[in-house]
Amino acid sequence: MPMTHDRIDAASFEPKHFRWSLDGKVATITLNRPERKNPLTFESYAELRDTFRRLTYADAVKTVVVTGAGGNFCSGGDVHEIIGPLVRLQEAGDMQGLLDFCRMTGDLVKAMRACPQPIVAAIDGICAGAGAIIAMASDLRLGTPASKVAFLFTRVGLAGADMGACNILPRIIGAGRAADLLYTGRAMDGAEAERFGFYNRLCEPSAVLEEAQKLAASLAAGPTFAHAMTKRCIHQEWSMQVDDAIEAEAQAQAICMQTRDYGRAYRAFVDKQRPVFEGN
């Protein structure tokens, strides 16, 4: 894979390394190794990356939910299937192999940020390492009080600078709080994650996936072209000065004003009805 211009047939898509389901316009990705708290492998990293790349061309999918099976979100990279082989590359002096892996994992975050669909993470239990990064790279995050989020790279002798964490996490929770988590590798419980703004809200464990899917469905029922534009602007404007951002948003809004959804909203308002958006 990567198949940059290949479309996902969302109804029949059958990935090898995670579960995929489609309910209306909402796709749900479920990391599915519950006996190990859903760790990632080289293969699942790559398949997730390629899936998010291909979602750009999946017209039937308007929002995506990411979750984990068995009461945990994701425990990060598999100790035996990823960390062990990486240590062997280090012992062999294979700097290129190590760099290739780090770039591949970073490409997953790039693909998540570049796909037009809003991504909602439903987080319970352990959310650590690369799992915390996947949560961070999502657009919205719902968690549970008992969940534990840890950017624990320093615990294995690595920098907190992993997969964009030093860029993205401070923008979500602030530089001081991000520094605390990235230097120490400590875990946030659900209450702290919500207080920091990492979680948009807390849910009970039995309801977190359902609430995430409801949120995703409400977004999918909205002006999805405009949602994609909002996501693009949030991402692109991180590197802009204010004046440039204002001009970029003027252009983005003018494009959105050319959609039929804009006219539908006006006519519904005039008729005192709820608008029915179609994403065009």
Side-chain angles (χ1 to χ4, degrees):
M1 245 158 130
M3 292 174 277
T4 306
H5 297 290
D6 190 17
R7 291 177 178 270
I8 286 181
D9 181 353
S12 61
F13 181 50
E14 295 182 359
K16 295 179 180 179
H17 301 288
F18 51 85
R19 293 205 314 259
W20 168 275
S21 63
L22 185 68
D23 183 6
K25 300 175 182 179
V26 178
T28 298
I29 290 172
T30 304
L31 305 177
N32 191 33
R33 299 179 69 198
E35 72 284 355
R36 302 278 293 278
K37 300 178 181 178
N38 306 315
L40 299 176
T41 64
F42 292 112
E43 293 78 15
S44 59
Y45 263 122
E47 190 168 39
L48 284 167
R49 173 202 62 197
D50 294 340
T51 298
F52 281 107
R53 283 177 175 172
R54 294 168 66 195
L55 278 168
T56 300
Y57 307 99
D59 297 335
V61 179
K62 300 303 182 184
T63 52
V64 180
V65 173
V66 181
T67 193
N72 291 289
F73 186 72
C74 176
S75 57
D78 189 288
V79 172
H80 301 295
E81 296 185 47
I82 286 186
I83 298 178
L86 291 177
V87 169
R88 290 192 285 276
L89 288 178
Q90 179 261 334
E91 291 172 343
D94 188 353
M95 177 62 184
Q96 187 61 53
L98 296 171
L99 183 58
D100 288 344
F101 168 76
C102 293
R103 284 175 171 162
M104 185 268 288
T105 62
D107 281 345
L108 168 57
V109 173
K110 291 180 183 179
M112 292 177 70
R113 300 311 310 145
C115 84
Q117 296 88 347
I119 303 168
V120 183
I123 302 160
D124 192 18
I126 298 301
C127 176
I133 296 290
I134 290 173
M136 176 195 77
S138 300
D139 297 281
L140 297 163
R141 289 160 293 277
L142 274 57
T144 69
S147 61
K148 301 290 184 183
V149 179
F151 297 83
L152 44 63
F153 307 106
T154 59
R155 299 290 184 91
V156 295
L158 297 177
D162 195 85
M163 298 171 70
C166 286
N167 180 279
I168 300 173
L169 188 62
R171 298 175 189 275
I172 298 172
I173 66 173
R177 289 167 170 170
D180 173 14
L181 298 175
L182 296 176
Y183 280 123
T184 67
R186 70 174 183 83
M188 295 186 287
D189 63 18
E192 186 176 34
E194 184 188 35
R195 179 166 58 85
F196 278 11
F198 188 77
Y199 287 159
N200 294 90
R201 66 174 183 264
L202 290 177
C203 307
E204 289 304 312
S206 61
V208 65
L209 177 57
E210 180 183 359
E211 289 300 311
Q213 290 172 329
K214 284 182 180 178
L215 174 57
S218 71
L219 295 174
T224 53
F225 180 92
H227 289 337
M229 187 68 78
T230 300
K231 178 169 180 174
R232 180 181 296 274
C233 286
I234 288 173
H235 182 67
Q236 290 181 339
E237 290 180 29
W238 285 356
S239 59
M240 291 183 183
Q241 298 294 320
V242 174
D243 288 355
D244 294 332
I246 291 172
E247 174 59 24
E249 291 190 9
Q251 295 178 23
Q253 205 70 302
I255 292 170
C256 289
M257 287 175 181
Q258 298 180 66
T259 65
R260 293 185 177 90
D261 275 346
Y262 185 57
R264 291 182 185 109
Y266 171 72
R267 287 188 289 274
F269 177 81
V270 171
D271 295 338
K272 297 182 170 55
Q273 297 177 352
R274 187 182 184 88
V276 177
F277 295 112
E278 296 182 22
N280 60 7

